[in-house]
Amino acid sequence: EHSVCFSDCSFSHTDQNRTLTYDLSALSSVGSIMNGPSFTSKGTKYYHQFNISLCGPEGRKVAVCTDNVTDLSNKDLQSEAASLNNYVETFVCQSTIIPADGRGFRTALSSQSISLADTFLGATVESTLDGVSVRPDLFPETSRKLPDINFFYRSPRITASCEHGRSAVITLRCNPEKGERGELTVSSKCPAGTCDGCMFYFLWESSSACPICTEADYHSIEGACKGGMQDTLYVWNEPKLCTKGVSLPEKNSAPCEAVPLWLKVGIGGGAFMAVLLISLTCYFWKKNKRLEYKYSRLVMSANKECELPAADSCALAEGEGEENEDDVVYSNTPSLLGKLKAIASKLHSSSIEQLHPNRINPQG
């Protein structure tokens, strides 16, 4: 008994508390890429063709590369072509293709078919799995925040230059502009798909390599409140980096108030505070003007009386002092006016004492 590891074309990854789910079923059929051309020392043009079976049908290896070295221009040998053909059936295989370029061939020749991936190791967003590593320097970095998905394969067949067999890494990258099937490429640094003949690297850009759309991939936009109704629209986040999954909700309308209650309360409170501040400002301004006016009258009265010739009394006129006494608050330090009033009181008392004996003497 033995177990076989294969991909069912689904993949999940948790990134920043969000689970990304992928549906790779559109990539289940065999993908092909032909690079080149290259030339032999005699000038013969040839290509390298790769067939890739990424995922699907229950782990069966459906990528087939066929050797077709029979000269099919000879009709007598065409019937024997089927028996002479050799092929490999695996996850990833390579063939050397010599095109029909006027040398008498009715079809292109395929030869040197080899298997690059007999065993599927696994798929992950990590750069290393079971001793096989990705080389990020071979392909341009993506500006998108989504991680690449790496499919790792190995072929245990040992060759003269590959003591541990061959390995292959297929990197899936989300690119909504490439369509469902996308595009397979090899690195410009290693146009043959490999730099050492043992490690093969491929980049498969496709919209199918984007995660399935969820509610987190769109947002709502609320319109203005018109006629007591407000419209809500839903749009995809830009750039849109998802496929399939949920659809955008329909536009909906809901009752609304032109001015929200909290805004009304805020406006009312602000207006009340403004009126209160204006009232307090006016009150203190008027009070200050009254005090300033009374103070100026007192100063003018004091200056006027003190400039008169010496008299028996410097007292204020009757009634004038009483008016000022009602409104003016005196401090503990006697003011100029207080000193004048005290002098006037003493003079008034002495004049009465001087007049009183004169009134009593005649009676004596």
Side-chain angles (χ1 to χ4, degrees):
E1 295 182 0
H2 63 278
S3 60
V4 177
C5 182
F6 68 96
S7 171
D8 60 357
C9 296
S10 63
F11 182 80
S12 295
H13 169 63
T14 301
D15 182 29
Q16 297 180 355
N17 298 325
R18 179 188 174 191
T19 300
L20 303 176
T21 304
Y22 298 79
D23 180 10
L24 307 175
S25 57
L27 307 179
S28 60
S29 58
V30 176
S32 297
I33 176 176
M34 183 180 291
N35 63 346
S38 300
F39 297 89
T40 65
S41 59
K42 295 182 179 181
T44 302
K45 181 169 60 176
Y46 67 93
Y47 299 84
H48 284 135
Q49 178 174 331
F50 300 91
N51 293 330
I52 297 174
S53 175
L54 183 71
C55 60
E58 298 181 354
R60 288 180 312 200
K61 304 172 184 179
V62 296
V64 178
C65 292
T66 304
D67 282 347
N68 177 17
V69 295
T70 304
D71 185 355
L72 298 181
S73 63
N74 189 337
K75 295 182 179 180
D76 295 336
L77 297 178
Q78 289 182 19
S79 59
E80 301 178 8
S83 60
L84 295 175
N85 286 346
N86 297 318
Y87 68 92
V88 292
E89 191 173 22
T90 182
F91 289 114
V92 182
C93 62
Q94 173 191 315
S95 294
T96 301
I97 305 298
I98 302 176
D101 56 357
R103 295 193 177 189
F105 298 136
R106 293 186 178 182
T107 185
L109 297 183
S110 175
S111 63
Q112 300 179 3
S113 298
I114 58 174
S115 172
L116 305 179
D118 295 322
T119 305
F120 174 61
L121 301 179
T124 178
V125 297
E126 303 298 331
S127 59
T128 302
L129 181 65
D130 197 14
V132 181
S133 300
V134 178
R135 284 187 56 183
D137 60 302
L138 293 181
F139 299 102
E141 294 184 0
T142 176
S143 59
R144 300 176 177 89
K145 297 181 179 179
L146 292 175
D148 295 335
I149 305 173
N150 299 310
F151 280 66
F152 294 87
Y153 300 88
R154 175 178 287 139
S155 177
R157 298 179 183 178
I158 298 175
T159 65
S161 58
C162 304
E163 297 180 357
H164 303 287
R166 298 185 179 95
S167 300
V169 179
I170 304 170
T171 299
L172 301 185
R173 178 170 295 175
C174 172
N175 191 338
E177 300 176 358
K178 295 293 185 178
E180 284 190 348
R181 285 292 298 172
E183 179 183 10
L184 264 168
T185 58
V186 293
S187 174
S188 59
K189 298 179 180 180
C190 303
T194 179
C195 296
D196 58 5
C198 300
M199 288 294 305
F200 292 79
Y201 300 95
F202 305 90
L203 176 64
W204 199 337
E205 294 182 280
S206 167
S207 62
S208 299
C210 300
I212 295 175
C213 296
T214 65
E215 289 78 3
D217 293 304
Y218 63 81
H219 62 277
S220 62
I221 299 178
E222 295 182 350
C225 185
K226 296 181 180 180
M229 299 297 292
Q230 185 179 40
D231 294 335
T232 301
L233 300 175
Y234 297 89
V235 296
W236 294 111
N237 298 335
E238 291 294 338
K240 182 184 177 184
L241 298 177
C242 66
T243 183
K244 302 177 181 179
V246 301
S247 302
L248 285 178
E250 298 292 334
K251 179 182 72 173
N252 61 60
S253 301
C256 64
E257 294 183 2
V259 181
L261 179 60
W262 65 269
L263 186 58
K264 291 180 179 179
V265 173
I267 293 175
F272 173 76
M273 293 299 296
V275 172
L276 180 62
L277 289 174
I278 293 173
S279 300
L280 290 174
T281 302
C282 294
Y283 170 76
F284 286 112
W285 180 79
K286 292 179 68 176
K287 186 173 182 181
N288 184 60
K289 293 297 289 183
R290 288 181 59 192
L291 291 175
E292 184 180 354
Y293 172 72
K294 292 178 179 180
Y295 176 75
S296 62
R297 284 187 59 190
L298 290 174
V299 172
M300 291 175 64
S301 299
N303 291 338
K304 182 177 179 182
E305 293 176 359
C306 289
E307 290 175 359
L308 294 174
D312 294 338
S313 174
C314 289
L316 297 174
E318 184 178 357
E320 185 177 354
E322 296 177 357
E323 180 182 351
N324 293 332
E325 289 176 358
D326 295 336
D327 298 330
V328 180
V329 178
Y330 296 95
S331 61
N332 294 332
T333 304
S335 63
L336 176 61
L337 184 58
K339 293 178 180 180
L340 293 175
K341 290 180 68 177
I343 295 171
S345 298
K346 291 180 180 180
L347 293 175
H348 182 67
S349 299
S350 61
S351 63
I352 292 174
E353 291 177 357
Q354 291 175 2
L355 292 175
H356 183 67
N358 294 332
R359 291 177 182 176
I360 297 174
N361 289 333
Q363 293 179 2

